[in-house]
Amino acid sequence: MTQVLLAIDTSSGTAVAVLVDGKVVSELYEDNSMQHAEHIGMLLAEALAKAGKKSSDVTAVAVGVGPAPFTGLRVGIAAAKLFAEGVQVPIFGVSSLSAIAFLEPLDEPTLILTDARRSEVYFALFHEKTKHGEPKVILGPGVKKQADLEAELLASGTNYKTVTGSIKASNIGLLALAQLAGGTLESQVLANYLRAPDAIPAKGKKVSG
Amino acid sequence: MSHQIRPATEADLEFIMALEKLSFGRDSWSKPTMRAELLAPHTFYLVAYLDEKIVGYAGLSKVKSASSADIQTIAVDESLRRRGIGHELMEKLIAQAIQLGASELYLEVREDKTAPQKLYESLGFVVIDRREKYYQPDGVAALVMRLALSVQGLQEPVVLGIETSCDETGIGIVRGTTLLANVISSSMDQHARFGGVVPEIAARAHLEALEATLQKALHDAGLSINEIDAVAVTNGPGLAGALMVGVGAAKALAVAIDKPIYAVNHLVAHVAVDVLERGRLETPTVALLVSGGHTSLLLVRDLLNDVELLGETIDDAAGEAFDKIARVLGLSYPGGPEIDRVSKEGDPKAVRFPRGLTLPKDQDKHRYNFSFSGLKTAVARHVELAESKGEKVFVPDIAASFREAVVDVLVTKAINACLDNNVPRLILGGGVVANARLREVAAARCQEAGIELRIPAFSLCTDNGAMIASLAAQKIMAGEAPSELGFGVYSTLAI
């Protein structure tokens, strides 16, 4: 049976790709970090159409689970979950940072950074790959001020190169396939927020002088 | 021998033309026109035959993207009329129109021909328009007749509605005006220690609840996902981050099952639950929607086409005021049920708390608007003042007096809206409808004023997916086109 993998990521823009038997046959990206809910439906429909596939041809869904800014990240995961429910196929969660690292050679320690807003970065340090091509994490993932992170790495004496980037859905799909081969594919799809919600238990304040 | 009916083919053309000329004389179509009709991809023609002779024919046109279909023509051999051949041809075309997804069927008939008019009337068609000098060269007028297929209960769409505008993940399923499932997963407990809904916590909870809520709704309805005809989703007003979870999920589901999607206004949907209980919404009606996120008065002249926002809160929502006062009084979250509970022991007239925006000077700009922040401050001040004097406040009295002030304002303004606009009915919606005193006072004052009061079941008052599905089903049955896939999320979506 032909394997048709639908890959979705909304960690930066809105990204959708269709992989048929391991080959990327369509890939779409909307570079707008505010309008994931607007774009996701059209991109799903167009990516399938470009791949010449119907939704019912899809055999699995892979989605980037972050870390990434919450509001956009959730749109992709929500879409992936109900798409998978709609066509009754399995769904898998993939680290968005590992998906960037997947395209790097990783022959030297490589620090992957993405924008976490509030002058912080999401990060993970990778070195080498498994025989299936899965990036090996040696630090992170975490969220910090970039300067603090770099100071810590300097103090630890680690040599590394830095890669920043946005995520294409094809990376998510290819990494999912590598993880499938390596037996490390995660079937529990949980958003990796890394930050707690900003909320402080209410104390109640006085209204009279 | 009795007649039989089958789809027409091009080979029938000569026989159809012979009957056409006999039946319509000078109004007859030409042979090329008839051939084009028989062969067009959007038409469906039937012939009736008796002893291998064609004795009748009829045709339907349904363009794929249209929600309505047209009866193109119908003729029966004059010597064989009144035997039910025409009736049967029409019934088969109606069935075909339904199968092709039409919600309405139209036809034109000569005003001077009463026999076919009677046939159409017997099938449920009604005259909706008259076209002067439509049939030439005779100059005879045409009557336009319409059959609403949905009203007959022949075509009732199965709609799945998704609601994520606040802290309830709601997924409901309706078939036309029938409720099939209404599953609500609330994150209320997670907000308790914060004393109010935390948007980020609500949004995270929606994402985690989606699949299980969907599965439970399908299970309750006894349906598989492929039996859903359309997906509906709230796209505002509400918490933006929470709304986006539902909209992203709903769009993907619609693409996955290859069905249309309808974006729905949350406030109007609250009113649409009435059709699930009564089959239709009696209009005009005033709607008072009261929850932790909204306090709104709507004037609904038509559920789909004419809903007017008369007024809303200019600061806190009523439900929010209950939560905040519960905290001042040391009661737990959510505040509404707690205040209701302790109020039973209290005197609602113990303290006369202010009624926001009810003074004569407010009537110009704010007759239908609400304000609860002044009331909230007044209650807090009262408690603090008593405490600073070392007096012990009797919580039930404060709670009952506060509740009385809120309910008084809500009901007074709602009834004013009815009386001012000459509207004989009021429908309540939103989570605060659970408040016993609100229901009590609304019932008493509506009766006094001769206004019919509608209070839907509580599971349909609180935020839920069934109301979203219900409004979308109404849109579909009225032939409204689906939303484009690119629609956005609007935290302050206008009505």
Side-chain angles (χ1 to χ4, degrees):
Chain A
M1 192 174 110
T2 309
Q3 180 204 53
V4 180
L5 177 66
L6 176 67
I8 300 171
D9 186 276
T10 52
S11 350
S12 41
T14 307
V16 179
V18 176
L19 290 78
V20 177
D21 289 332
K23 286 208 174 64
V24 181
V25 294
S26 70
E27 165 119 74
L28 294 170
Y29 184 74
E30 273 290 342
D31 186 20
N32 183 318
S33 61
M34 299 293 284
Q35 296 196 321
H36 305 93
E38 280 83 346
H39 294 307
I40 189 71
M42 285 305 292
L43 289 197
L44 285 169
E46 280 174 24
L48 286 166
K50 274 196 171 175
K53 295 292 173 191
K54 299 194 297 280
S55 56
S56 55
D57 296 329
V58 171
T59 55
V61 177
V63 62
V65 295
F70 315 150
T71 308
L73 175 67
R74 269 193 293 267
V75 173
I77 300 176
K81 282 183 168 191
L82 285 210
F83 191 98
E85 286 288 327
V87 293
Q88 301 281 296
V89 298
I91 176 171
F92 303 101
V94 171
S95 155
S96 302
L97 294 174
S98 297
I100 301 176
F102 182 77
L103 291 192
E104 299 299 317
L106 303 188
D107 45 8
E108 59 180 311
T110 306
L111 181 67
I112 306 290
L113 299 180
T114 58
D115 184 6
R117 300 179 187 163
R118 305 183 204 171
S119 14
E120 290 188 326
V121 290
Y122 293 115
F123 69 90
L125 187 63
F126 296 88
H127 191 198
E128 298 175 337
K129 297 180 180 181
T130 68
K131 64 176 175 176
H132 300 291
E134 307 151 81
K136 292 183 181 172
V137 185
I138 54 172
L139 179 72
V143 58
K144 270 194 178 132
K145 292 217 181 316
Q146 190 170 345
D148 294 351
L149 173 66
E150 282 165 355
E152 277 173 38
L153 287 169
L154 187 66
S156 72
T158 315
N159 287 315
Y160 63 92
K161 73 167 186 179
T162 301
V163 172
T164 57
S166 57
I167 299 156
K168 295 278 165 72
S170 54
N171 304 17
I172 297 285
L174 293 167
L175 174 58
L177 294 172
Q179 290 184 343
L180 184 67
T184 56
L185 194 52
E186 188 54 70
S187 62
Q188 202 186 0
V189 180
L190 285 176
N192 188 7
Y193 295 113
L194 290 183
R195 283 179 182 142
D198 283 329
I200 304 157
K203 284 192 217 91
K205 56 175 190 279
K206 276 197 171 292
V207 293
S208 50
Chain B
M1 224 186 123
S2 70
H3 66 274
Q4 287 182 292
I5 289 174
R6 63 164 168 80
T9 69
E10 198 180 357
D12 300 321
L13 184 59
E14 295 296 335
F15 307 101
I16 289 174
M17 279 313 295
L19 195 49
E20 171 86 8
K21 292 219 171 76
L22 282 174
S23 305
F24 298 106
R26 290 197 295 178
D27 293 339
S28 299
W29 288 350
S30 70
K31 197 155 136 185
T33 302
M34 186 63 86
R35 178 186 283 115
E37 272 289 303
L38 290 180
L39 299 179
H42 62 273
T43 60
F44 178 77
Y45 272 76
L46 294 171
V47 289
Y49 59 101
L50 185 64
D51 300 333
E52 294 178 31
K53 183 175 172 267
I54 288 179
V55 296
Y57 59 89
L60 174 83
S61 164
K62 165 75 174 68
V63 177
K64 206 173 175 191
S65 60
S67 60
S68 63
D70 296 275
I71 299 290
Q72 300 288 82
T73 185
I74 177 168
V76 176
D77 190 319
E78 200 168 0
S79 63
L80 294 167
R81 287 182 191 160
R82 297 174 192 278
R83 292 191 186 192
I85 297 176
H87 195 273
E88 198 181 328
L89 282 167
M90 284 298 294
E91 276 190 331
K92 286 202 155 47
L93 290 186
I94 291 169
Q96 182 69 19
I98 291 164
Q99 207 181 336
L100 292 171
S103 56
E104 299 169 303
L105 191 52
Y106 290 91
L107 59 79
E108 287 117 25
V109 57
R110 278 178 71 116
E111 193 177 42
D112 57 357
K113 291 203 171 175
T114 52
Q117 287 169 27
K118 288 223 171 74
L119 166 65
Y120 305 142
E121 276 166 15
S122 75
L123 288 159
F125 281 87
V126 290
V127 176
I128 56 159
D129 203 3
R130 184 172 179 276
R131 301 217 172 114
E132 207 69 58
K133 295 179 183 152
Y134 186 82
Y135 293 97
Q136 293 300 340
D138 300 352
V140 174
L143 298 179
V144 182
M145 300 184 81
R146 172 179 176 271
L147 175 65
L149 301 174
S150 50
V151 173
Q152 287 208 323
L154 293 170
Q155 196 226 12
E156 296 208 307
V158 177
V159 184
L160 181 138
I162 301 179
E163 152 64 34
T164 63
S165 70
C166 191
D167 62 340
E168 326 266 15
T169 312
I171 298 190
I173 303 174
V174 305
R175 175 182 282 121
T177 59
T178 308
L179 178 65
L180 301 181
N182 187 19
V183 181
I184 298 166
S185 166
S186 178
S187 59
M188 188 196 287
D189 295 348
Q190 297 178 51
H191 305 286
R193 70 193 175 103
F194 302 103
V197 173
V198 180
E200 177 61 21
I201 292 177
R204 290 183 181 195
H206 287 310
L207 186 63
E208 279 157 34
L210 273 177
E211 291 150 299
T213 310
L214 173 66
Q215 286 162 5
K216 173 96 168 46
L218 288 167
H219 177 266
D220 287 1
L223 294 173
S224 78
I225 191 75
N226 292 314
E227 291 173 275
I228 302 297
D229 297 321
V231 177
V233 64
T234 311
N235 76 323
L239 305 169
L243 287 165
M244 285 180 204
V245 175
V247 167
K251 286 181 176 180
L253 181 61
V255 172
I257 62 175
D258 197 19
K259 293 291 160 59
I261 187 166
Y262 286 79
V264 163
N265 182 298
H266 177 88
L267 292 177
V268 182
H270 266 300
V271 186
V273 297
D274 208 31
V275 304
L276 297 176
E277 296 194 328
R278 294 208 292 190
R280 61 186 294 259
L281 179 75
E282 296 283 336
T283 50
T285 186
V286 167
L288 171 64
L289 308 178
V290 206
S291 70
H294 310 283
T295 308
S296 311
L297 267 177
L298 311 186
L299 172 54
V300 185
R301 295 185 194 89
D302 180 284
L303 182 61
L304 300 179
N305 301 310
D306 193 352
V307 181
E308 184 188 340
L309 178 68
L310 293 176
E312 60 190 338
T313 182
I314 59 169
D315 41 58
D316 292 343
E320 223 175 330
F322 273 98
D323 292 337
K324 288 178 179 168
I325 292 307
R327 205 159 68 208
V328 167
L329 298 177
L331 303 171
S332 61
Y333 176 88
E338 281 294 291
I339 286 180
D340 228 16
R341 186 177 59 79
V342 302
S343 292
K344 282 182 202 143
E345 314 295 321
D347 175 6
K349 291 183 178 154
V351 189
R352 169 83 190 177
F353 288 123
R355 270 70 168 157
L357 302 181
T358 57
L359 297 174
K361 72 176 170 65
D362 300 319
Q363 297 307 303
D364 223 20
K365 265 176 73 184
H366 292 300
R367 184 162 176 81
Y368 305 125
N369 285 338
F370 302 90
S371 167
F372 296 106
S373 74
L375 167 63
K376 193 182 68 191
T377 307
V379 177
R381 222 181 261 281
H382 182 91
V383 172
E384 284 168 18
L385 192 67
E387 279 169 351
S388 71
K389 287 188 200 157
E391 295 167 10
K392 203 166 151 29
V393 293
F394 184 53
V395 169
D397 276 355
I398 306 295
S401 300
F402 160 74
R403 184 180 69 164
E404 201 64 11
V406 174
V407 167
D408 185 21
V409 174
L410 290 173
V411 176
T412 300
K413 293 199 174 225
I415 290 197
N416 283 345
C418 288
L419 297 177
D420 296 350
N421 293 284
N422 208 10
V423 170
R425 54 188 76 81
L426 171 66
I427 179 168
L428 305 186
V432 177
V433 176
N435 192 288
R437 186 66 185 151
L438 173 60
R439 295 200 305 271
E440 212 173 276
V441 172
R445 293 215 208 146
C446 279
Q447 198 179 8
E448 258 169 51
I451 293 165
E452 183 199 2
L453 177 68
R454 285 287 300 155
I455 306 179
F458 183 64
S459 60
L460 292 173
C461 278
T462 189
D463 289 351
N464 66 86
M467 68 187 202
I468 307 304
S470 177
L471 181 53
Q474 291 293 308
K475 288 171 182 256
I476 294 166
M477 291 190 286
E480 243 182 65
S483 306
E484 300 286 337
L485 262 181
F487 67 82
V489 158
Y490 305 96
S491 57
T492 57
L493 181 65
I495 281 171

